[in-house]
Structures are given as C-alpha cells and as structure tokens.
Amino acid sequence: MKKITTLLSLLSIGFSVLMAQKPVTIEGSFAREKFAEVKLFKVVDGTSKPIATAQPNNKGKFGFQFFPEYEGLYMVGTGTNANPQGNYKFWLKSGDRLGIAINDTAYSLTGVSNSKENQVLTQWYKMAWLVEWKSVYFSRNQSTYVDFFPELDKLLPKAKAWLAAPKATGNKKFEAALKDIVNLDLAFFAVNFLNTPRSAHPDKEELPDYYSSVSVNSVFPTAQKAYDYPWGMRAFSTILMRDRIKSGEKPKTGLEGTKEVFALINNDTLKGDFALDQAAVIKDYGKYLEFKNGIEEYILTENQKQREFQINSALATLKPGDKGYEFKFEDKNGKTVAFSDLKGKVVLIDTWATWCGPCKVEIPHLKKLEEAMQGKDVAIVSISVDEEKDKDKWKQMIADQSLGGIQLFASGWSDITKYYKITGIPRFMVFDKDGKIVTVDAPRPSSPDLKPLLEKYL
C-alpha cells in the first residue's frame, strides 16, 4: 500500500499548553476525478488565514494533523482565503478526528470518529447546501433571483425550527455558537447573492422580507460575531454597502464620508475596521495623517493597530517635516515612555544593542554630547533592539557603563525599526520640538556635525 501523503502542521502555542493538548487529525479524500491542493484555514478577526497545505496522493487522499490554537470554526477545502468556493466549515477542538470526502460541489463526512459537533454542523450544511451553492458558486450555476429567492424563503423557517430542536452534543460552547453560525450563514448567502454577477437582478419590490431584517447592527451587534465567522468581514462590508444604499445618502469620500458611514455602525471596533479599509486606498501621506487623526479613537484592537502601522509605514516618506513615529517603550525602571512625551524638546534617538561593536564605540562620544547638552531642551533617547532574553544584560550594561539619557527597551527589531526601515545599527535620528523629522540618518556622536545640528533646532 502506498503511503498517504500527510502534512503535519504543528502550531506552536506554548509548550505547557501543547503538553495538555491532543492534536486534531483530519483524513480526507477526493470523490471526483480531478484532485487539487487542499488548505487548512483558521479564522482571524473575520477572515480565513491558511495555516497548512496538503497535496493529495495519486489516490486522492490527503491529511492534516495539528494542535488547534482555539476551539471553534476552522475551514478545509480547495478554495482561497478570499473566495468561499470549495471551502467548508468545521468545529475543531483538542483531540478531534475529522473524516471528509470532497466532490465537485460539496463534502460528506466519512468514517466513524467524527465529533458530534461536526455531525450537527454537517446537518446544517446539507440543509443549506442548495442556497449556499446558488449564492457562492455563481460562476458555475448562473442562478438568478427567480430561482434563488424561493429557496431562501423555504430555508428560513426550516433553519428556525432546526435551531429550536435539541442537539445533545454535550458541548455548551458549540451549541451557544451554533445559532450565530446559522444566522450568519443565512445573512452571508443572502447578501453575497445580490452582490455577485448575475444575468438578471431584482427590483427592490421583489426582495424577500428577510432582506429588510439584515443590517450591520442586527447581524453584527458585537465585533466578535464578525470575528469568529470565516467570512465575517466580507459579510460586514457587503451588508454595510447595502445599508448605505438603503440610507439614500449620496456617498462621500475621505474623512467626511467615513464619519457619515459611522452613523450606520453601532459598534466602535467595527467602525475602526471600516475606517482602515478606507485608509488603505489613500496614496498621499499628508492626507493619510489627516485621515488618521480623525479615526484614531476607533483603532482599538491589536490587529487594527498593526494594520494601521502597516498602512502608515508604507506611505511614510521619512522626509524632513514629516511627523515622527509614535513609539511606546519601557525604560529601565519599567515606566512606559512615548515619543509624544518628549514634545517641546529636540530629540536625538539612538537605536543600538549590547552586542553591537560599532554601537559601543559611540558610547563615550554620546556621553560627551549629553554633557554638552546639559540644561538645554534636548532629549537623548537610546532604544535597545536587544531580544527579550537579553533584557537583564541590557540593564547590567546601563549600570556598568553609567549610561545616561533616556534608556528604552524595544524587545527586538520592533515597529520603530520597521517604520524607519532600519536594517543596521547604530542609527541616529533627530526630531524637532514639534516631533517632526529633521533627519532619520543623522551623523553619529563621533562626528563633529551632530552637535551643531541639534543646536540649530533649539
């Protein structure tokens, strides 16, 4: 017997947790003539992120084994993270086994080890299959509203009755989430149908009553409902677009238009997601900074902050007069120091590390410069890019070398190095009293040119 090609994807989430966990095992096969690469996806803030890929063997068999980062929805299929065609939802937790067979337009469970959760989820999948197929597989089916709306109307009462019946999975978390999964599926299939190419489109009067109940605030009263669903952000954007059409407002662009749309969204976190989508199309850095100032209060989650940073750093020209990056790092005593705390002073930033020979060469010169600037509105900030494991070594060197100024720890090559595109150290940068860039490649303290440059901006 030929060996089945199996891809092991071991997700590292902490050794102690892994020791207590059991892996999820997925055994799959193709029930069709043509085989394809299969991906395993996790759900991250309402989007599908591929975490492993498997190539089927010559008999169409494939598999995955991995330690799940969370209990909840994952996806397996031949689609992509941007296209729902060919991807199927499963509820996975530690120790689960999943057996599936994939044909041209659907999947079926195989074997006898599938969890009760996935047996229930597959019941729903089979019940909703025709509506999903007509909505999602539009390029193959060319379904129109004439045949789609009757199927949607038939499914709605069936779904309600099915949800009301006991499921007896023994998993309270899954059973609590099942209602959201079903309701999100219904909303997603309904709006996705209207927003994909069709040969005929309905008038407003021909829409089923169900559409009047679908709005951003009814479907997504919290951001988490969007974040836990594989197509959550796609559904959010599509439903919001329909809300905007229903409002009758003429769309406006820029910050003004974004704030008008905020009135249609109750949840602040989702306002931030919408605002970042708008920010991503801005090409001018000055306009971006103006836009950012107007929406910054809605950038709340770590993922949103990272998205904003990526947009910002990609647009930043790093030319004189541009606003400096708002970093926040801890000093040697554990106190957080932000770049904005230094406003009113000319700022010299030194990025360095304890292992860096050229950085050490500059230390005596930096001390002399600090002494020369004593009593003046100059802040000398040294930011270490040592790794977290070397933090004690960094503290010891500060003590041994009697390092002055403001000593901050960035825990490795953090956002500040990415923002300023720093690939080698030491790197010295100068900012004026308003926090604007003078130069991001200043002379080193050993150069006679640095001191006059600082004095010029006092």
Side-chain angles (χ1 to χ4, degrees), residues 277-304:
D277 287 342
Q278 305 310 298
V281 301
I282 298 174
K283 302 301 181 185
D284 179 83
Y285 189 54
K287 290 180 180 177
Y288 173 75
L289 290 178
E290 181 182 346
F291 184 87
K292 177 187 171 183
N293 288 337
I295 56 97
E296 204 156 16
E297 64 182 294
Y298 301 108
I299 309 304
L300 302 172
T301 71
E302 285 305 312
N303 186 47
Q304 288 175 336

mmCIF file of all heavy atoms in Angstrom, residues 277-304:
data_model
loop_
_atom_site.group_PDB
_atom_site.id
_atom_site.type_symbol
_atom_site.label_atom_id
_atom_site.label_comp_id
_atom_site.label_asym_id
_atom_site.label_seq_id
_atom_site.Cartn_x
_atom_site.Cartn_y
_atom_site.Cartn_z
ATOM 1 N N ASP A 277 -10.250 50.121 6.122
ATOM 2 C CA ASP A 277 -10.475 49.783 4.712
ATOM 3 C C ASP A 277 -10.397 51.040 3.852
ATOM 4 O O ASP A 277 -9.856 51.018 2.736
ATOM 5 C CB ASP A 277 -11.847 49.119 4.532
ATOM 6 C CG ASP A 277 -11.876 47.699 5.058
ATOM 7 O OD1 ASP A 277 -10.794 47.107 5.255
ATOM 8 O OD2 ASP A 277 -12.983 47.178 5.289
ATOM 9 N N GLN A 278 -10.951 52.137 4.367
ATOM 10 C CA GLN A 278 -10.890 53.408 3.629
ATOM 11 C C GLN A 278 -9.467 53.956 3.612
ATOM 12 O O GLN A 278 -9.010 54.499 2.602
ATOM 13 C CB GLN A 278 -11.832 54.441 4.269
ATOM 14 C CG GLN A 278 -13.272 53.988 4.417
ATOM 15 C CD GLN A 278 -13.843 53.415 3.149
ATOM 16 O OE1 GLN A 278 -13.945 54.107 2.132
ATOM 17 N NE2 GLN A 278 -14.218 52.149 3.174
ATOM 18 N N ALA A 279 -8.771 53.799 4.720
ATOM 19 C CA ALA A 279 -7.395 54.312 4.816
ATOM 20 C C ALA A 279 -6.464 53.605 3.842
ATOM 21 O O ALA A 279 -5.509 54.198 3.333
ATOM 22 C CB ALA A 279 -6.887 54.144 6.246
ATOM 23 N N ALA A 280 -6.737 52.337 3.578
ATOM 24 C CA ALA A 280 -5.840 51.527 2.753
ATOM 25 C C ALA A 280 -5.749 52.014 1.311
ATOM 26 O O ALA A 280 -4.803 51.655 0.599
ATOM 27 C CB ALA A 280 -6.293 50.065 2.785
ATOM 28 N N VAL A 281 -6.703 52.832 0.870
ATOM 29 C CA VAL A 281 -6.666 53.299 -0.527
ATOM 30 C C VAL A 281 -6.055 54.693 -0.658
ATOM 31 O O VAL A 281 -5.908 55.205 -1.766
ATOM 32 C CB VAL A 281 -8.083 53.283 -1.144
ATOM 33 C CG1 VAL A 281 -8.670 51.894 -1.103
ATOM 34 C CG2 VAL A 281 -9.020 54.275 -0.430
ATOM 35 N N ILE A 282 -5.698 55.325 0.461
ATOM 36 C CA ILE A 282 -5.092 56.656 0.414
ATOM 37 C C ILE A 282 -3.636 56.526 -0.034
ATOM 38 O O ILE A 282 -2.893 55.676 0.471
ATOM 39 C CB ILE A 282 -5.176 57.341 1.794
ATOM 40 C CG1 ILE A 282 -6.642 57.544 2.203
ATOM 41 C CG2 ILE A 282 -4.445 58.688 1.778
ATOM 42 C CD1 ILE A 282 -6.824 58.078 3.609
ATOM 43 N N LYS A 283 -3.226 57.369 -0.960
ATOM 44 C CA LYS A 283 -1.873 57.288 -1.514
ATOM 45 C C LYS A 283 -0.950 58.406 -1.047
ATOM 46 O O LYS A 283 0.267 58.289 -1.142
ATOM 47 C CB LYS A 283 -1.938 57.304 -3.047
ATOM 48 C CG LYS A 283 -2.775 56.191 -3.654
ATOM 49 C CD LYS A 283 -2.253 54.819 -3.270
ATOM 50 C CE LYS A 283 -3.087 53.709 -3.912
ATOM 51 N NZ LYS A 283 -2.648 52.367 -3.443
ATOM 52 N N ASP A 284 -1.531 59.487 -0.548
ATOM 53 C CA ASP A 284 -0.737 60.643 -0.128
ATOM 54 C C ASP A 284 -0.532 60.603 1.389
ATOM 55 O O ASP A 284 -1.496 60.475 2.148
ATOM 56 C CB ASP A 284 -1.447 61.942 -0.532
ATOM 57 C CG ASP A 284 -0.686 63.172 -0.094
ATOM 58 O OD1 ASP A 284 0.249 63.571 -0.807
ATOM 59 O OD2 ASP A 284 -1.019 63.721 0.979
ATOM 60 N N TYR A 285 0.708 60.706 1.837
ATOM 61 C CA TYR A 285 0.999 60.562 3.265
ATOM 62 C C TYR A 285 0.378 61.680 4.093
ATOM 63 O O TYR A 285 -0.155 61.443 5.179
ATOM 64 C CB TYR A 285 2.510 60.512 3.490
ATOM 65 C CG TYR A 285 2.887 60.156 4.916
ATOM 66 C CD1 TYR A 285 2.387 59.008 5.518
ATOM 67 C CD2 TYR A 285 3.744 60.970 5.655
ATOM 68 C CE1 TYR A 285 2.725 58.680 6.824
ATOM 69 C CE2 TYR A 285 4.099 60.641 6.946
ATOM 70 C CZ TYR A 285 3.579 59.499 7.532
ATOM 71 O OH TYR A 285 3.919 59.173 8.829
ATOM 72 N N GLY A 286 0.426 62.899 3.589
ATOM 73 C CA GLY A 286 -0.174 64.012 4.320
ATOM 74 C C GLY A 286 -1.672 63.828 4.504
ATOM 75 O O GLY A 286 -2.218 64.052 5.591
ATOM 76 N N LYS A 287 -2.342 63.408 3.437
ATOM 77 C CA LYS A 287 -3.780 63.149 3.531
ATOM 78 C C LYS A 287 -4.065 61.979 4.470
ATOM 79 O O LYS A 287 -5.065 61.973 5.186
ATOM 80 C CB LYS A 287 -4.347 62.858 2.148
ATOM 81 C CG LYS A 287 -4.381 64.065 1.224
ATOM 82 C CD LYS A 287 -4.966 63.723 -0.136
ATOM 83 C CE LYS A 287 -4.996 64.950 -1.037
ATOM 84 N NZ LYS A 287 -5.507 64.628 -2.394
ATOM 85 N N TYR A 288 -3.152 60.991 4.457
ATOM 86 C CA TYR A 288 -3.346 59.851 5.359
ATOM 87 C C TYR A 288 -3.277 60.291 6.822
ATOM 88 O O TYR A 288 -4.100 59.879 7.643
ATOM 89 C CB TYR A 288 -2.303 58.759 5.105
ATOM 90 C CG TYR A 288 -2.392 57.672 6.142
ATOM 91 C CD1 TYR A 288 -3.432 56.746 6.096
ATOM 92 C CD2 TYR A 288 -1.503 57.627 7.211
ATOM 93 C CE1 TYR A 288 -3.563 55.773 7.076
ATOM 94 C CE2 TYR A 288 -1.627 56.666 8.191
ATOM 95 C CZ TYR A 288 -2.657 55.736 8.123
ATOM 96 O OH TYR A 288 -2.801 54.804 9.099
ATOM 97 N N LEU A 289 -2.297 61.124 7.148
ATOM 98 C CA LEU A 289 -2.154 61.581 8.539
ATOM 99 C C LEU A 289 -3.377 62.376 8.979
ATOM 100 O O LEU A 289 -3.843 62.246 10.115
ATOM 101 C CB LEU A 289 -0.888 62.418 8.692
ATOM 102 C CG LEU A 289 0.436 61.656 8.573
ATOM 103 C CD1 LEU A 289 1.611 62.614 8.703
ATOM 104 C CD2 LEU A 289 0.540 60.559 9.633
ATOM 105 N N GLU A 290 -3.911 63.180 8.087
ATOM 106 C CA GLU A 290 -5.126 63.941 8.397
ATOM 107 C C GLU A 290 -6.292 62.977 8.642
ATOM 108 O O GLU A 290 -7.070 63.149 9.583
ATOM 109 C CB GLU A 290 -5.451 64.880 7.232
ATOM 110 C CG GLU A 290 -6.693 65.735 7.449
ATOM 111 C CD GLU A 290 -7.015 66.607 6.252
ATOM 112 O OE1 GLU A 290 -6.149 66.753 5.358
ATOM 113 O OE2 GLU A 290 -8.135 67.126 6.196
ATOM 114 N N PHE A 291 -6.395 61.950 7.786
ATOM 115 C CA PHE A 291 -7.450 60.949 7.933
ATOM 116 C C PHE A 291 -7.271 60.177 9.242
ATOM 117 O O PHE A 291 -8.230 59.966 9.992
ATOM 118 C CB PHE A 291 -7.405 59.985 6.746
ATOM 119 C CG PHE A 291 -8.505 58.956 6.741
ATOM 120 C CD1 PHE A 291 -9.728 59.242 6.167
ATOM 121 C CD2 PHE A 291 -8.321 57.700 7.310
ATOM 122 C CE1 PHE A 291 -10.755 58.298 6.159
ATOM 123 C CE2 PHE A 291 -9.326 56.758 7.314
ATOM 124 C CZ PHE A 291 -10.549 57.058 6.735
ATOM 125 N N LYS A 292 -6.045 59.788 9.532
ATOM 126 C CA LYS A 292 -5.751 59.014 10.744
ATOM 127 C C LYS A 292 -6.154 59.785 11.994
ATOM 128 O O LYS A 292 -6.721 59.209 12.941
ATOM 129 C CB LYS A 292 -4.264 58.664 10.796
ATOM 130 C CG LYS A 292 -3.846 57.927 12.058
ATOM 131 C CD LYS A 292 -2.345 57.760 12.112
ATOM 132 C CE LYS A 292 -1.904 57.223 13.456
ATOM 133 N NZ LYS A 292 -0.436 57.105 13.565
ATOM 134 N N ASN A 293 -5.875 61.070 12.038
ATOM 135 C CA ASN A 293 -6.229 61.883 13.206
ATOM 136 C C ASN A 293 -7.734 61.881 13.461
ATOM 137 O O ASN A 293 -8.178 61.980 14.610
ATOM 138 C CB ASN A 293 -5.741 63.322 13.014
ATOM 139 C CG ASN A 293 -4.237 63.436 13.132
ATOM 140 O OD1 ASN A 293 -3.588 62.596 13.751
ATOM 141 N ND2 ASN A 293 -3.662 64.462 12.525
ATOM 142 N N GLY A 294 -8.514 61.721 12.400
ATOM 143 C CA GLY A 294 -9.961 61.747 12.548
ATOM 144 C C GLY A 294 -10.575 60.417 12.944
ATOM 145 O O GLY A 294 -11.723 60.377 13.394
ATOM 146 N N ILE A 295 -9.824 59.312 12.775
ATOM 147 C CA ILE A 295 -10.405 57.992 13.056
ATOM 148 C C ILE A 295 -9.632 57.221 14.139
ATOM 149 O O ILE A 295 -9.979 56.099 14.478
ATOM 150 C CB ILE A 295 -10.474 57.141 11.766
ATOM 151 C CG1 ILE A 295 -9.097 56.982 11.091
ATOM 152 C CG2 ILE A 295 -11.430 57.784 10.773
ATOM 153 C CD1 ILE A 295 -8.358 55.743 11.391
ATOM 154 N N GLU A 296 -8.600 57.853 14.704
ATOM 155 C CA GLU A 296 -7.687 57.146 15.607
ATOM 156 C C GLU A 296 -8.386 56.552 16.829
ATOM 157 O O GLU A 296 -7.990 55.504 17.341
ATOM 158 C CB GLU A 296 -6.562 58.077 16.044
ATOM 159 C CG GLU A 296 -5.312 57.344 16.459
ATOM 160 C CD GLU A 296 -4.069 58.198 16.324
ATOM 161 O OE1 GLU A 296 -4.189 59.440 16.196
ATOM 162 O OE2 GLU A 296 -2.973 57.623 16.340
ATOM 163 N N GLU A 297 -9.451 57.191 17.306
ATOM 164 C CA GLU A 297 -10.136 56.698 18.508
ATOM 165 C C GLU A 297 -10.807 55.345 18.281
ATOM 166 O O GLU A 297 -11.186 54.663 19.238
ATOM 167 C CB GLU A 297 -11.178 57.715 18.969
ATOM 168 C CG GLU A 297 -12.317 57.939 17.987
ATOM 169 C CD GLU A 297 -13.299 58.990 18.456
ATOM 170 O OE1 GLU A 297 -13.980 58.748 19.486
ATOM 171 O OE2 GLU A 297 -13.386 60.057 17.797
ATOM 172 N N TYR A 298 -10.965 54.945 17.023
ATOM 173 C CA TYR A 298 -11.618 53.675 16.720
ATOM 174 C C TYR A 298 -10.620 52.558 16.390
ATOM 175 O O TYR A 298 -11.028 51.449 16.079
ATOM 176 C CB TYR A 298 -12.596 53.847 15.560
ATOM 177 C CG TYR A 298 -13.667 54.865 15.858
ATOM 178 C CD1 TYR A 298 -13.680 56.110 15.237
ATOM 179 C CD2 TYR A 298 -14.658 54.586 16.796
ATOM 180 C CE1 TYR A 298 -14.659 57.053 15.526
ATOM 181 C CE2 TYR A 298 -15.638 55.532 17.099
ATOM 182 C CZ TYR A 298 -15.626 56.747 16.460
ATOM 183 O OH TYR A 298 -16.595 57.676 16.759
ATOM 184 N N ILE A 299 -9.336 52.849 16.455
ATOM 185 C CA ILE A 299 -8.310 51.822 16.236
ATOM 186 C C ILE A 299 -8.047 51.193 17.592
ATOM 187 O O ILE A 299 -7.225 51.677 18.386
ATOM 188 C CB ILE A 299 -7.032 52.430 15.626
ATOM 189 C CG1 ILE A 299 -7.374 53.260 14.395
ATOM 190 C CG2 ILE A 299 -6.036 51.327 15.269
ATOM 191 C CD1 ILE A 299 -8.135 52.513 13.331
ATOM 192 N N LEU A 300 -8.744 50.096 17.876
ATOM 193 C CA LEU A 300 -8.823 49.576 19.244
ATOM 194 C C LEU A 300 -8.093 48.256 19.458
ATOM 195 O O LEU A 300 -7.457 48.054 20.493
ATOM 196 C CB LEU A 300 -10.296 49.406 19.641
ATOM 197 C CG LEU A 300 -11.147 50.686 19.568
ATOM 198 C CD1 LEU A 300 -12.615 50.352 19.790
ATOM 199 C CD2 LEU A 300 -10.667 51.698 20.597
ATOM 200 N N THR A 301 -8.181 47.329 18.516
ATOM 201 C CA THR A 301 -7.605 46.000 18.732
ATOM 202 C C THR A 301 -6.144 45.974 18.281
ATOM 203 O O THR A 301 -5.692 46.836 17.515
ATOM 204 C CB THR A 301 -8.381 44.928 17.960
ATOM 205 O OG1 THR A 301 -8.136 45.078 16.551
ATOM 206 C CG2 THR A 301 -9.880 45.034 18.236
ATOM 207 N N GLU A 302 -5.420 44.965 18.730
ATOM 208 C CA GLU A 302 -4.016 44.823 18.328
ATOM 209 C C GLU A 302 -3.908 44.616 16.825
ATOM 210 O O GLU A 302 -2.992 45.133 16.182
ATOM 211 C CB GLU A 302 -3.358 43.660 19.078
ATOM 212 C CG GLU A 302 -3.034 43.975 20.523
ATOM 213 C CD GLU A 302 -2.180 45.232 20.673
ATOM 214 O OE1 GLU A 302 -1.170 45.352 19.946
ATOM 215 O OE2 GLU A 302 -2.542 46.106 21.486
ATOM 216 N N ASN A 303 -4.829 43.848 16.259
ATOM 217 C CA ASN A 303 -4.807 43.621 14.819
ATOM 218 C C ASN A 303 -5.042 44.918 14.055
ATOM 219 O O ASN A 303 -4.387 45.194 13.047
ATOM 220 C CB ASN A 303 -5.873 42.591 14.435
ATOM 221 C CG ASN A 303 -5.797 42.215 12.968
ATOM 222 O OD1 ASN A 303 -4.736 41.943 12.437
ATOM 223 N ND2 ASN A 303 -6.943 42.215 12.303
ATOM 224 N N GLN A 304 -5.969 45.744 14.543
ATOM 225 C CA GLN A 304 -6.216 47.034 13.898
ATOM 226 C C GLN A 304 -4.986 47.934 14.000
ATOM 227 O O GLN A 304 -4.637 48.635 13.038
ATOM 228 C CB GLN A 304 -7.421 47.720 14.537
ATOM 229 C CG GLN A 304 -8.750 47.076 14.196
ATOM 230 C CD GLN A 304 -9.920 47.705 14.934
ATOM 231 O OE1 GLN A 304 -9.743 48.297 16.004
ATOM 232 N NE2 GLN A 304 -11.109 47.590 14.386
#
